[in-house]
Amino acid sequence: MSKLVEAVFPRRLGRSFRWLVASSWTSNIGDGIALAAGPLLVASQTDSAFLVALAAMLQRLPWLMFGLWAGALADRLDRRLVVIIANAVRALVIAVLCVFVGAGTVSVAMVLTAMFLYGVAEVFADTTQQTLLPTLVRPADLGAGNQRMQAGFLAANQLAGPPLGAFLFAAGMVWPFVVQVVCVALAVVLVARITAPPGTSFTNVRDTESHVRKDIAEGLRWVWHHAPVRTLCIVILVFNITWAAPWGVLVKYSLDHLHMSEVGYGLLTTATGLGGIVGVLSYGWLERHVNLATLIRVCLTLEVLTHAAFALTTTGWVAIVLMFEFGVYVFVWGTLSTTIRQRAVPKEFQGRVASINMICVFGGLVLGQGIGGVIAEYWGLVAPWWFAFAGAGVTLLLVWRSLSHVAHAGSAR
């Protein structure tokens, strides 16, 4: 058992790292439960497809509204305390929702409001949590740390949480949200046990008399003038737009173009998760044995080719194989890009740069889904894949040479 614990939580990363990972995994179980239970609760209150879609949008909208502010506050305040307070607010919002659901007096307006407030608190919690790992571990260990954080996200948020949420919802409408409150509250307790290494602090020494807008502008300027991080943000934005365009109509693509059943559509998402497990488990070996610039280029090239493969295939089992392959490289890319960014960014800018990165992620998803819906409506279900192939391919060609600088941005500090 001790060998297993050492393999998952290496002693060299410290006890506080273990508390951080445990907190992340626990909150991800709650968030994964909500991925299934949230839409089911909305659908139980309304037949309107618009309101169901609005619920999903209200969880992403806070990133675009408050992301920069969350990053600025993360660089001003005690980062551990910000995570504790933000997660406590998340738990409180869901606890209040539980009361109304349990009493049978919940309404769709109440659910939408709760989702928005939860999303706002999540922006501050997730942005600030990304700044804790670089404080707790050495730059050389950031890859190992992010690998374990990604593994928890994959296992808890993507694989275990959603089916558990659906099962609990079937047992009783209130139960998934009760479990979610418990998970988020436990995450608060675990984060509270984290301590900064000797000689470090979770609080930056900076002029807090200046306006937050000044801090935001300073963070934006830092990203703009740091070419490798700027390139990384642009790649993340564009590749999320191109990825989200076909992904937003994936269910219709699988049912109407590939002629798969509902179960077949479920297998597509399951294949992504299984591929992600392979990607996360292999990341440590890849980082040690493959040049990082080569690894970036391979991941992004696979993304471009995968779009073309989906555009050309007409067979369900081929799509499942492609989804597995997608899961492998996308989780390698996610771990790698986070590690590179954290190594490159000075401590005092970690929060603001993390928030800019997340705005690129969610902004790309929102834009991509809108673009993909329009393209599919006018040119068919395959057209978004060709759009993704062309957009990602052109972007990759434009940044190809600069990716070597991106890969080693941390060594330039």
Side-chain angles (χ1 to χ4, degrees):
M1 185 65 179
S2 60
K3 291 183 178 179
L4 177 61
V5 173
E6 175 63 23
V8 179
F9 305 108
R11 189 175 291 106
R12 74 177 190 278
L13 299 184
R15 179 174 295 179
S16 288
F17 170 76
R18 296 181 177 183
W19 294 127
L20 176 62
V21 173
S23 172
S24 175
W25 289 9
T26 303
S27 64
N28 269 305
I29 291 174
D31 290 343
I33 288 171
L35 281 177
L40 288 172
L41 181 60
V42 176
S44 72
Q45 302 299 311
T46 179
D47 293 326
S48 169
F50 170 76
L51 290 177
V52 173
L54 180 62
M57 188 191 75
L58 286 176
Q59 289 182 295
R60 288 176 175 168
L61 185 62
W63 283 101
L64 305 182
M65 296 175 62
F66 302 106
L68 293 175
W69 293 85
L73 290 178
D75 287 339
R76 276 176 166 248
L77 307 175
D78 184 322
R79 288 164 170 169
R80 186 188 66 159
L81 185 60
V82 171
V83 174
I84 290 172
I85 293 174
N87 276 328
V89 171
R90 291 206 298 169
L92 179 62
V93 169
I94 300 303
V96 172
L97 180 63
C98 285
V99 172
F100 287 97
V101 173
T105 57
V106 70
S107 66
V108 65
M110 192 178 299
V111 176
L112 294 176
T113 301
M115 286 188 164
F116 179 75
L117 293 176
Y118 187 88
V120 172
E122 188 175 41
V123 170
F124 289 87
D126 288 359
T127 297
T128 310
Q129 182 169 282
Q130 292 184 56
T131 70
L132 297 181
L133 184 63
T135 303
L136 297 177
V137 305
R138 298 177 300 117
D141 289 323
L142 281 172
N146 281 306
Q147 177 188 25
R148 285 151 178 80
M149 299 286 276
Q150 282 273 28
F153 170 79
L154 178 62
N157 190 290
Q158 301 292 294
L159 293 180
L164 178 59
F167 172 79
L168 289 171
F169 192 88
M173 195 179 294
V174 72
W175 290 116
F177 305 102
V178 170
V179 175
Q180 186 184 9
V181 170
V182 172
C183 288
V184 178
L186 180 56
V188 170
V189 174
L190 293 169
V191 168
R193 304 200 64 173
I194 295 174
T195 57
T200 64
S201 170
F202 292 122
T203 305
N204 285 322
V205 179
R206 52 186 294 106
D207 178 19
T208 55
E209 296 300 320
S210 64
H211 200 281
V212 173
R213 286 197 295 267
K214 180 181 177 182
D215 290 357
I216 292 173
E218 187 180 32
L220 290 168
R221 282 196 300 270
W222 189 93
V223 171
W224 183 254
H225 291 294
H226 193 285
V229 174
R230 182 181 69 232
T231 300
L232 187 62
C233 289
I234 292 171
V235 168
I236 288 170
L237 173 63
V238 175
F239 272 67
N240 270 282
I241 291 173
T242 55
W243 171 78
W247 197 268
V249 294
L250 182 64
V251 62
K252 288 190 65 63
Y253 168 85
S254 65
L255 296 174
D256 299 342
H257 179 72
L258 299 179
H259 305 293
M260 302 175 74
S261 65
E262 288 79 2
V263 174
Y265 170 68
L267 288 176
L268 289 176
T269 56
T270 300
T272 302
L274 294 176
I277 292 175
V278 175
V280 168
L281 293 178
S282 63
Y283 180 80
W285 184 93
L286 290 170
E287 189 182 57
R288 291 191 302 271
H289 294 89
V290 181
N291 178 274
L292 294 186
T294 301
L295 193 56
I296 291 177
R297 288 175 174 137
V298 169
C299 287
L300 297 182
T301 300
L302 286 173
E303 173 98 352
V304 174
L305 295 178
T306 298
H307 292 318
F310 270 112
L312 293 171
T313 188
T314 57
T315 308
W317 70 265
V318 174
I320 291 173
V321 172
L322 289 172
M323 276 296 184
F324 179 84
E325 170 255 356
F326 167 78
V328 174
Y329 75 74
V330 79
F331 276 92
V332 171
W333 161 249
T335 305
L336 178 61
S337 60
T338 301
T339 300
I340 289 171
R341 171 172 53 81
Q342 290 175 341
R343 285 175 178 165
V345 178
K347 178 185 175 183
E348 62 270 21
F349 284 99
Q350 285 283 351
R352 282 166 286 179
V353 178
S355 69
I356 293 168
N357 176 80
M358 294 304 294
I359 287 172
C360 289
V361 170
F362 285 98
L365 292 177
V366 172
L367 287 172
Q369 287 176 337
I371 292 171
V374 172
I375 292 174
E377 185 73 21
Y378 284 95
W379 292 285
L381 294 171
V382 172
W385 293 109
W386 287 121
F387 164 78
F389 169 71
V394 170
T395 303
L396 181 56
L397 288 175
L398 292 174
V399 302
W400 185 269
R401 293 186 61 183
S402 62
L403 290 178
S404 58
H405 299 291
V406 172
H408 302 291
S411 61
R413 277 177 54 191

